[in-house]
Amino acid sequence: MSGRAEAAAVPRHVAIIMDGNGRWAKQRLRPRLFGHRAGAESLRAVLRACRDRGVEYLTVYAFSTENWVRPEDEVSGLMSLLRTFLKKDEHELHENQVRLRVTGRIQDLPEAVRAELERVMAATKTYAKGHLILALSYGGRAEIVDAVRALAAEVQAGKLAPAAIDEAAIAAHLYLPDVPDPDLMIRTSGELRLSNFLLWQLSYAEFYFTETLWPDFREADFAKALDEYARRQRRFGAPS
Ligand code: FPP
């Protein structure tokens, strides 16, 4: 196998829709937050698996723009789970030189959560061995809207000609323009939808769906997804 083909067998960037926490908890007659807590354990396991298998970027859909309408106690429970995660797991980010970043409208998050996120992001910003990206208050359409607004402002200011707006210009105005597009998108819990996740960036990604609920999704399930990815031939629209 050539070096290039070997490199392509492991996705550089995996994006995950961590779905099914609520159903997992319901099956156990427990509150939804119990499922989210178990889901945080799955995230820890998958982050370690990324390190072990050479996946450089992991983006997880932790909270969508649509999730704000969930009951207040679930929203505040998720926010405090996020703070716990940042406190408990920061040392692992340092040990493994993983940079933490956020994609989404971070300004919508409660001040205490935002402050904690900003602190850990600043403390890890020089790391490049791995990248953990939390999609928080994230919506794919909102991201494109924000990019278009920024471009429109440049046009209005006379800094950009409309004819100069191309795919590269739009991509350069997304939230994290330096992050490579995901190679593989995983969604758990049997739902076959994109749910407004990374609409622009997932254009050429391979999709992997599994019935497994997110709190049950651990190293072995992740390995299965990567094996399936390695079997697929990616053509980027070119003929086979
Ligand atoms: C979807 O399951 C999951 C979420 C909306 C939240 C994901 C959050 C975590 C896994 C918590 C850990 C994250 C961090 C960053 C600490 P659902 O509630 O929609 O499940 P359901 O479809 O079964 O109801």
Side-chain angles (χ1 to χ4, degrees), residues 99-139:
R99 180 178 182 183
L100 178 82
R101 296 174 87 177
V102 169
T103 186
R105 290 179 169 167
I106 192 173
Q107 66 275 16
D108 294 351
L109 299 171
E111 179 49 37
V113 178
R114 203 171 64 204
E116 192 63 15
L117 280 165
E118 306 269 11
R119 189 186 64 71
V120 180
M121 284 195 290
T124 61
K125 76 165 190 264
T126 59
Y127 298 151
K129 265 202 181 163
H131 302 261
L132 171 61
I133 300 160
L134 303 178
L136 289 167
S137 197
Y138 177 85

Side-chain angles (χ1 to χ4, degrees), residues 53-114:
R53 291 183 151 253
V55 174
E56 285 176 61
Y57 292 83
L58 175 67
T59 299
V60 291
Y61 210 177
F63 198 85
S64 73
T65 45
E66 291 75 29
N67 286 154
W68 289 112
V69 302
R70 291 195 177 199
E72 206 194 306
D73 60 339
E74 186 178 353
V75 172
S76 63
L78 274 167
M79 292 298 147
S80 81
L81 191 58
L82 178 57
R83 285 181 73 190
T84 308
F85 178 82
L86 294 170
K87 285 209 170 80
K88 261 177 81 175
D89 292 68
E90 185 185 354
H91 72 98
E92 273 207 48
L93 300 179
H94 291 296
E95 276 159 30
N96 296 298
Q97 299 198 8
V98 173
R99 180 178 182 183
L100 178 82
R101 296 174 87 177
V102 169
T103 186
R105 290 179 169 167
I106 192 173
Q107 66 275 16
D108 294 351
L109 299 171
E111 179 49 37
V113 178
R114 203 171 64 204

Side-chain angles (χ1 to χ4, degrees), residues 189-205:
S189 90
E191 307 292 343
L192 308 179
R193 289 186 296 276
L194 205 44
S195 300
N196 207 13
F197 189 44
L198 302 175
L199 294 180
W200 180 277
Q201 297 89 335
L202 289 172
S203 291
Y204 290 102

